[in-house]
């Protein structure tokens, strides 16, 4: 085997080992995701796309060359070499090597694509698992908050009942339907509005009464002052007559 095909075969064995390593069940996708996001893997990934394209081009070129060699040494079926058995053995050996190289290049190319796809799927699965855990924690937090609010609501209802305030029950124990509750609330709002209007009218009436009483008191004060002055004049006149 030539040097180039030895390198391709070694690359094929490395791909098989890497795929088997990625398929090990007790290594979780999260761990693989951490490995893929490590500093060394990040440096490798920086030039990974270029290296991947170069490797694919080399493997395609070698696959085409191996296919050409297979076509080249398949002439034994077309040419009669029965008189030269050494040539037949040599051609069969070359044909075997060409077919072996063709299989090596083909499987190396296939496993290269498969390895890249498998790494991508593992990264996506790790991301989905992380998102699923985040959504699960968020749902658990919302559930705990809802339970807390329900407990606080129940405590508040108990305090209102202890204070003598009727609190309508919720759920299946609720009294009446939603329409009845709405109707009752509307009636209460209307009554409150009527009471507010009556209070406003009474306030205006009391205000006018206060103003009338104030004016009357001012008139009485003026009249009282006038009577005092007149009484003073009368006393002064009577004193003058006595003198």
């Amino acid at each position: 085997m030539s040097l180039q095909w030895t390198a391709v075969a070694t690359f094929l064995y490395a791909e098989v080992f890497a795929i088997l390593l990625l398929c090990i069940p007790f290594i979780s996708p999260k761990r693989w995701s951490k490995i893929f996001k490590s500093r060394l893997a990040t440096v490798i990934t920086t030039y990974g796309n270029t290296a991947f394209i170069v490797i694919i081009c080399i493997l395609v070129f070698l696959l085409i060359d191996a296919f050409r060699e297979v076509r080249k040494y398949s002439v034994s079926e077309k040419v009669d070499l029965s008189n030269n058995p050494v040539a037949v053995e040599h051609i069969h050996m070359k044909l075997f090597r060409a077919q072996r190289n063709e299989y090596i290049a083909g499987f190396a190319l296939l496993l290269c694509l498969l390895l890249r796809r498998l790494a991508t799927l593992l990264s996506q699965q790790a991301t989905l698992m992380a998102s699923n855990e985040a959504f699960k924690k968020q749902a658990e937090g919302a559930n705990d908050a809802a339970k807390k609010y329900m407990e606080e609501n129940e405590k508040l209802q108990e305090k209102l009942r202890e204070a003598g305030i009727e609190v309508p029950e919720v759920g299946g124990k609720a009294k009446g339907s939603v329409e009845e509750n709405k109707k009752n609330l509307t009636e209460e709002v209307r009554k409150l509005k009527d009471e507010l209007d009556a209070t406003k009218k009474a306030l205006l009436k009391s205000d006018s009464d206060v103003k009338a009483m104030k004016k009357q008191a001012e008139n009485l004060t003026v009249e009282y002052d006038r009577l005092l002055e007149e009484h003073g004049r009368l006393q002064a006149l009577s004193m003058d007559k006595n003198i």
Side-chain angles (χ1 to χ4, degrees), residues 63 65 85 93-94 106 131 141 148 162 164 171 178-179 182 194 197 208 217-218 238-239:
L63 180 62
D65 183 66
M93 181 183 64
K94 291 289 187 180
S131 300
K148 183 179 178 181
E162 291 176 358
V178 177
E179 294 295 332
K182 184 177 180 180
D194 294 339
D197 292 338
S208 60
E218 290 177 354
S238 63
M239 289 178 68

Side-chain angles (χ1 to χ4, degrees), residues 75-123:
V75 296
S76 60
E77 299 177 356
K78 300 178 182 179
V79 180
D80 186 11
L81 298 174
S82 58
N83 296 326
N84 192 353
V86 178
V88 173
E89 292 179 0
H90 180 74
I91 290 175
H92 285 171
M93 181 183 64
K94 291 289 187 180
L95 180 61
F96 170 74
R97 290 179 179 177
Q99 290 175 347
R100 178 200 63 193
N101 295 337
E102 183 180 8
Y103 290 135
I104 291 174
F107 280 112
L109 179 61
L110 178 63
L111 292 181
C112 187
L113 297 173
L114 183 62
L115 184 62
R116 181 181 176 87
R117 183 60 177 170
L118 186 60
T120 303
L121 290 176
L122 285 173
S123 299

Side-chain angles (χ1 to χ4, degrees), residues 34-46:
K34 291 180 181 179
I35 294 173
F36 294 155
K37 292 179 181 179
S38 63
R39 184 175 299 178
L40 179 61
T42 304
V43 173
I44 296 173
T45 307
T46 305

